[in-house]
Amino acid sequence: MVLTTTKFDRFARNMAEAGEILTSLRERDVLFGLGSQIYDWNDPFGKLFLQTLAMVAEFEANLNHLRTREGMAKARAKGRLKGKQPKLPLAARKTIHRRYHDPDDDASLADEYSVGRSTIHRIVSGTAPQV
């Protein structure tokens, strides 16, 4: 039996995970296929080749994460990355704060503003996204 993948970086997130999966496959007598090639984890060359692929895939993933974080930091510095925006404008949130203390009013506030009751509770407790 052969487990085949087209891209090694989709197979495992890092070298440790790749090693665990390939060892598990070997224990079940399953070969690993990459594209049209089949590699045997028991063969020294196959093991070296797959470990090298895992190392390169992990390196590329780490570079991609680094570039993403750098890009997000630049966007945040320019004010372009603001995170999740509030569902309701500031004026509506202030009104909800004022009216919330009536115990029978929170359901009507949710209906009035077309949001869930949990959104109303997050606004009042201060855990809702702020602008």
Side-chain angles (χ1 to χ4, degrees):
M1 187 180 302
V2 178
L3 173 71
T4 303
T5 184
T6 55
K7 294 179 73 181
F8 197 87
D9 60 345
R10 298 292 183 178
F11 172 68
R13 292 187 182 106
N14 55 46
M15 287 183 60
E17 186 178 56
E20 289 173 14
I21 295 170
L22 290 168
T23 300
S24 174
L25 291 174
R26 180 183 63 201
E27 291 168 355
R28 292 182 278 168
D29 293 325
V30 176
L31 296 174
F32 177 74
L34 182 61
S36 61
Q37 298 290 332
I38 296 175
Y39 300 97
D40 184 1
W41 187 243
N42 289 322
D43 177 49
F45 175 75
K47 190 171 187 174
L48 171 68
F49 185 70
L50 292 173
Q51 286 174 333
T52 303
L53 285 177
M55 180 179 61
V56 171
E58 183 176 345
F59 174 69
E60 287 178 343
N62 289 340
L63 282 179
N64 191 32
H65 291 251
L66 179 66
R67 290 180 186 132
T68 300
R69 284 192 301 267
E70 287 173 352
M72 290 173 68
K74 287 180 182 177
R76 197 174 292 115
K78 292 180 181 179
R80 293 183 184 157
L81 186 65
K82 298 177 182 164
K84 184 175 180 180
Q85 298 300 305
K87 289 185 177 187
L88 298 172
L90 182 59
R93 293 194 314 264
K94 286 183 178 181
T95 301
I96 288 169
H97 272 283
R98 278 195 310 271
R99 293 177 49 199
Y100 182 78
H101 297 292
D102 181 357
D104 299 325
D105 209 15
D106 64 340
S108 64
L109 285 171
D111 291 338
E112 182 179 333
Y113 289 100
S114 300
V115 295
R117 289 178 61 159
S118 59
T119 300
I120 300 297
H121 291 289
R122 278 194 304 274
I123 289 170
V124 172
S125 69
T127 59
Q130 302 294 318
V131 175

